[in-house]
Amino acid sequence: MNEKHSEATPPGRKGNLTGSARKLKDNAADWHNLILKWERLTDEGSAIANKIVNYRISETSVKEPDIVLVDEGSSEAPSERRAHQSNPELEEECVNLQNIVDKMAHILLKMEKIVSNETGVYNLEMFQFGVQGRPAPLFQTWSTQQFAEVSSKLYEAYKQELALKRTILQELAHTTNTHLSMVYLSCWLYQPYVEDNTKLTLESLLMETGHRAL
Amino acid sequence: MSQPALLLLQQELRKCFQSVQVNKEVWRSALVECSPLISSLGNLAEQLRALKSVDLASTPLCHFPDLQPRLQHKLAQAVDTVLGKLSEKIETLQGVRDSTSKQVFAVFQLYEQNADSLDLHTCVARSATSPSIADMLEWLQDAECYYRVQYIQRKNLLWTLKPDDLTLMEAAPKRWASLDSPDKEERISDALFQVSFFMESE
């Protein structure tokens, strides 16, 4: 059916068709690479975050006697201040983590571009073929709209992750609650908003576009 | 009459010690691979405990929807993965136990079948290069017993772990380490040293 359809389309449109398909396929590859980079940054960041928490723990264990003696309100402020003044290593790790988050933000920006790009491809198709879209799918079974949907679903997951990581970055070095620090670390590493079906979605995208063998 | 039986038994003993030697390495490397898994299990239990004891609504994370169940799910999944890997290692340990038990049983069977033709003197006689048959049988029995008990203890430890019982899971690394018995392991190595000349002689 696909064959028949492409035969029937005029040459000009055929060129456009290849264009859309190429775009979608390249985008799928970009998704794969961006997520791979993201995972690498997550691992790197996790190691840094662990160091930050360890610095904090060793600091608080040293200062424990002070905190017990002095009442809470007055002990907090100087200890916070001292943490910033006296621990250049902690500060350095925080800068490193900041860099990681910045890189992730950059990745998210690229993801956003893919989403708008695919929406564009879909809009173009609507313009060409009307609301019902092209009669035969570009690849195996997915409609062009599905590509746009899948991309925005992936984007939303990583957007939420970035927001979570930003919060962790802001709070990690300032929390004295070890349990909370641990939760931050787990959140960073286990990425609660990247669900199992997020990975499945990526795999289906790669399969649909022929990057993965059927 | 006793000579062929003795030779046969010696042959079988050699084979058995050879397999102990191989299995000892398999066992050791499986245990080495277990230790990071066990410690990550303890670590995950700690993370689950932390998540349980923090009221996310009163933390800077309060704006993130469903964070608690999502993270809980992720951690539970990680626990599952680790347990899956551990049960693979336990299968390796089981393999060592099975093969040792089988071989040692075969040697003992052979001994019992020929017990009549092997008098006490033959069994306890030893030379500069060869320990006595009685000693060797005892060492094999000790090794077999060690792998059998160790396997059951370690498997039992993992079996009793439940994802909702954090205390057990937190204690797992310590309990796992407490099962190590280097002196018994060393006795197997000692036995292998003692039979090294015997194994080379044919």
Side-chain angles (χ1 to χ4, degrees):
Chain A
M1 237 174 93
N2 208 344
E3 282 279 297
K4 215 169 131 197
H5 166 72
S6 39
E7 270 170 21
T9 40
R13 265 204 199 156
K14 200 179 169 193
N16 268 342
L17 275 173
T18 338
S20 288
R22 155 126 326 136
K23 265 274 178 261
L24 293 181
K25 188 162 177 166
D26 288 352
N27 285 345
D30 282 348
W31 267 120
H32 175 249
N33 293 333
L34 289 176
I35 289 175
L36 214 63
K37 262 187 214 160
W38 180 281
E39 297 299 326
R40 223 175 291 142
L41 288 171
T42 297
D43 288 345
E44 274 175 47
S46 182
I48 298 170
N50 268 315
K51 277 190 208 160
I52 293 176
V53 169
N54 285 336
Y55 282 135
R56 289 296 285 161
I57 290 173
S58 56
E59 256 172 38
T60 40
S61 61
V62 170
K63 278 173 201 147
E64 212 133 49
D66 298 358
I67 293 167
V68 176
L69 287 175
V70 192
D71 65 308
E72 271 184 39
S74 55
S75 75
E76 283 253 322
S79 80
E80 288 286 310
R81 214 185 310 134
R82 224 184 320 161
H84 286 292
Q85 284 172 352
S86 67
N87 204 334
E89 289 130 319
L90 177 66
E91 213 162 313
E92 196 191 316
E93 294 303 344
C94 288
V95 171
N96 288 343
L97 196 60
Q98 171 79 59
N99 289 338
I100 296 271
V101 171
D102 288 347
K103 281 182 194 160
M104 287 177 144
H106 188 64
I107 290 180
L108 192 76
L109 218 62
K110 285 185 180 166
M111 290 176 172
E112 199 181 350
K113 274 187 191 138
I114 298 183
V115 175
S116 72
N117 188 310
E118 298 207 336
T119 319
V121 170
Y122 174 56
N123 286 339
L124 178 68
E125 188 179 298
M126 291 246 281
F127 174 71
Q128 287 177 316
F129 295 93
V131 204
Q132 74 275 16
R134 84 180 58 240
L138 279 166
F139 296 96
Q140 314 283 343
T141 55
W142 287 15
S143 68
T144 310
Q145 190 184 5
Q146 268 171 295
F147 281 97
E149 280 169 7
V150 156
S151 283
S152 77
K153 217 173 109 191
L154 287 173
Y155 169 70
E156 285 305 321
Y158 284 93
K159 189 176 150 195
Q160 189 68 283
E161 273 304 323
L162 184 69
L164 183 57
K165 285 188 157 73
R166 279 210 166 110
T167 309
I168 295 170
L169 170 70
Q170 280 162 14
E171 302 296 331
L172 195 62
H174 300 288
T175 178
T176 44
N177 179 344
T178 44
H179 282 315
L180 185 57
S181 303
M182 191 106 184
V183 172
Y184 285 140
L185 291 181
S186 330
C187 277
W188 181 287
L189 184 63
Y190 289 101
Q191 314 206 85
Y193 292 103
V194 180
E195 297 168 14
D196 303 342
N197 65 21
T198 314
K199 278 174 198 147
L200 197 66
T201 306
L202 175 67
E203 281 305 309
S204 341
L205 176 63
L206 292 174
M207 203 175 254
E208 174 72 21
T209 48
H211 287 290
R212 289 256 196 276
L214 275 171
Chain B
M1 186 63 195
S2 81
Q3 199 60 13
L6 181 65
L7 284 177
L8 199 62
L9 185 61
Q10 281 175 338
Q11 196 64 30
E12 200 63 25
L13 279 166
R14 266 186 210 108
K15 242 171 67 189
C16 201
F17 276 112
Q18 263 154 16
S19 113
V20 168
Q21 199 158 34
V22 173
N23 276 325
K24 189 174 155 283
E25 277 312 299
V26 176
W27 180 275
R28 198 193 55 82
S29 63
L31 276 190
V32 167
E33 284 161 24
C34 277
S35 66
L37 292 172
I38 283 283
S39 72
S40 73
L41 200 61
N43 193 263
L44 282 166
E46 245 179 89
Q47 295 184 58
L48 280 162
R49 163 87 62 204
L51 181 60
K52 222 175 173 180
S53 54
V54 170
D55 176 24
L56 289 182
S58 57
T59 69
L61 295 173
C62 60
H63 303 299
F64 292 93
D66 309 326
L67 186 61
Q68 205 276 342
R70 277 169 184 271
L71 189 57
Q72 171 103 24
H73 171 74
K74 284 270 177 168
L75 290 172
Q77 213 174 26
V79 168
D80 269 355
T81 313
V82 173
L83 282 178
K85 282 184 192 158
L86 274 170
S87 71
E88 276 170 33
K89 303 291 161 213
I90 286 288
E91 270 172 39
T92 310
L93 298 186
Q94 184 179 12
V96 170
R97 181 205 64 168
D98 288 348
S99 120
T100 314
S101 292
K102 212 175 92 191
Q103 298 255 8
V104 174
F105 178 74
V107 173
F108 270 81
Q109 205 175 29
L110 188 70
Y111 166 74
E112 276 158 24
Q113 279 164 1
N114 297 289
D116 293 339
S117 54
L118 295 162
D119 56 50
L120 190 64
H121 182 72
T122 318
C123 287
V124 297
R126 56 180 162 195
S127 68
T129 54
S130 164
S132 71
I133 287 180
D135 278 342
M136 288 195 278
L137 285 174
E138 188 188 333
W139 295 335
L140 285 178
Q141 205 166 32
D142 286 349
E144 193 271 339
C145 177
Y146 170 71
Y147 289 131
R148 188 157 36 87
V149 173
Q150 275 277 308
Y151 164 71
I152 291 174
Q153 284 176 328
R154 294 196 187 268
K155 185 176 181 168
N156 190 40
L157 196 162
L158 291 186
W159 265 25
T160 50
L161 296 180
K162 278 184 226 119
D164 46 346
D165 191 340
L166 291 180
T167 323
L168 261 180
M169 210 148 72
E170 277 165 329
K174 264 195 178 160
R175 287 177 58 215
W176 184 268
S178 77
L179 292 177
D180 289 345
S181 54
D183 49 322
K184 281 187 185 155
E185 197 109 19
E186 207 166 309
R187 251 194 263 165
I188 296 175
S189 309
D190 281 350
L192 286 169
F193 281 131
Q194 303 212 48
V195 297
S196 54
F197 284 121
F198 167 72
M199 290 208 309
E200 280 162 24
S201 67
E202 193 78 34

